[in-house]
Amino acid sequence: MTRRRWIADEWDQTSAVLRNAQAAHLARVLRAQVGQEFDIVAGTEVRRGVIDNIREDAVELSLHETLDATTCLPLVLALSIIRYERMEWAIEKLTELGVARIVPLIAQRTEKHLAQAAQKRTERWRKIAHESAQQSRRSDVPEITDPIPVSNYLSAGPDALHLLLSEHERARSLRGCLENSDGPEIYSATAPRTICAAIGPEGGWTDGEVVSFAKYGWQSVSLGSRILRAETAAIAVASVLSSWLGP
Ligand code: SAH
């Protein structure tokens, strides 16, 4: 039987603590008991955990053998901020698909009120990523960075293959771009290279943004002749890249 997985709030070599909302859920909703076993993510490891003590604000577990950890994909999704429920859905699904990091981008056509509220929404997005990571039995939670304007993000690009998902691109498909690139072996979540994919807002990229991305070495790629909603494009690119990168 698969055990339910929890991400520890605190841990050391032999024990871990789940606090607050997680502890309350275990104690009140699941009525967990001392001696019950769970998979516990403790930093970069997954361990078998046994409950030693249970309170509504803290559940203490002893940690036992190390279990297999799943690795995230070496994939960064720079997702322009879109309407709340769609953004939240995208964050949940991208977490399930295994992306390493999500960067909420403030694009020129990101609606003003969404851009203004973005900073306040970030904690909620992190919470969604946390819950989705546990539910999909990930060994880590994807990082959700603070929201950042496109112009600042461009100048901060790490060493990576940079893909601009563009509804204006006709000539270069994502598939063609991957076929012409180095093989997937050189990509890894930790080193040496990652893949960054940027998705525009509901109104799409401005011409100026497309030019700026190109100046910083981002390659425009198409997902086909149909126009997808931003959140669909995000899931599609993560799925194609995960299949290309292999197990
Ligand atoms: N409002 C625009 C579409 C924006 S779609 C229009 O009607 O033309 C939002 C984002 O999803 C785009 O900026 C792009 O990043 C991505 N996207 C949508 N369809 C795409 C496609 N066929 N190929 C690549 N990216 C696409």
Side-chain angles (χ1 to χ4, degrees):
M1 197 185 88
T2 55
R3 281 184 298 259
R4 199 165 161 162
R5 181 167 296 199
W6 298 88
I7 298 167
D9 294 300
E10 293 158 28
W11 68 92
D12 59 24
Q13 266 314 301
T14 56
S15 64
V17 186
L18 304 172
R19 290 205 178 276
N20 304 325
Q22 306 207 90
H25 190 70
L26 268 162
R28 271 196 253 134
V29 182
L30 301 177
R31 301 191 178 282
Q33 306 288 330
V34 169
Q36 207 170 338
E37 296 185 356
F38 293 101
D39 290 358
I40 302 296
V41 177
T44 54
E45 279 187 338
V46 184
R47 308 271 299 272
R48 184 170 64 88
V50 179
I51 296 186
D52 287 338
N53 187 20
I54 196 158
R55 292 198 317 267
E56 288 201 0
D57 63 342
V59 173
E60 294 163 10
L61 304 103
S62 52
L63 295 180
H64 300 270
E65 69 270 21
T66 303
L67 309 167
D68 281 345
T70 51
T71 48
C72 60
L73 297 173
L75 185 54
V76 176
L77 244 291
L79 177 59
S80 298
I81 294 164
I82 50 179
R83 274 193 292 138
Y84 297 135
E85 67 283 7
R86 297 180 181 282
M87 188 77 183
E88 292 178 3
W89 186 84
I91 288 170
E92 182 183 281
K93 301 304 162 207
L94 291 170
T95 305
E96 288 171 34
L97 286 165
V99 307
R101 186 183 313 141
I102 299 170
V103 180
L105 276 187
I106 301 171
Q108 280 172 16
R109 293 201 181 121
T110 297
E111 287 180 42
K112 288 285 161 297
H113 73 281
L114 296 181
Q116 276 159 8
Q119 193 65 46
K120 276 204 289 212
R121 303 295 293 185
T122 313
E123 274 322 301
R124 181 167 162 75
W125 294 336
R126 290 185 180 134
K127 192 160 160 268
I128 289 169
H130 188 280
E131 282 167 6
S132 177
Q134 281 186 167
Q135 182 269 327
S136 59
R137 301 179 65 74
R138 279 182 66 149
S139 322
D140 61 341
V141 182
E143 181 193 358
I144 313 278
T145 68
D146 285 335
I148 178 170
V150 168
S151 49
N152 296 4
Y153 183 61
L154 287 178
S155 45
D159 180 30
L161 172 64
H162 290 94
L163 301 175
L164 176 71
L165 277 293
S166 172
E167 68 278 22
H168 306 300
E169 178 62 41
R170 287 284 159 262
R172 195 188 300 114
S173 67
L174 173 60
R175 180 175 167 171
C177 174
L178 293 175
E179 278 167 1
N180 288 330
S181 72
D182 297 324
E185 315 76 51
I186 59 166
Y187 296 95
S188 111
T190 44
R193 284 196 106 198
T194 54
I195 305 179
C196 297
I199 310 282
E202 279 142 349
W205 300 117
T206 63
D207 292 343
E209 282 171 330
V210 173
V211 170
S212 308
F213 272 107
K215 222 164 60 194
Y216 283 93
W218 290 68
Q219 302 182 43
S220 269
V221 291
S222 166
L223 288 169
S225 55
R226 287 166 296 275
I227 300 291
L228 309 173
R229 284 186 181 273
E231 69 274 22
T232 316
I235 309 307
V237 72
S239 311
V240 170
L241 290 172
S242 100
S243 148
W244 183 72
L245 288 161

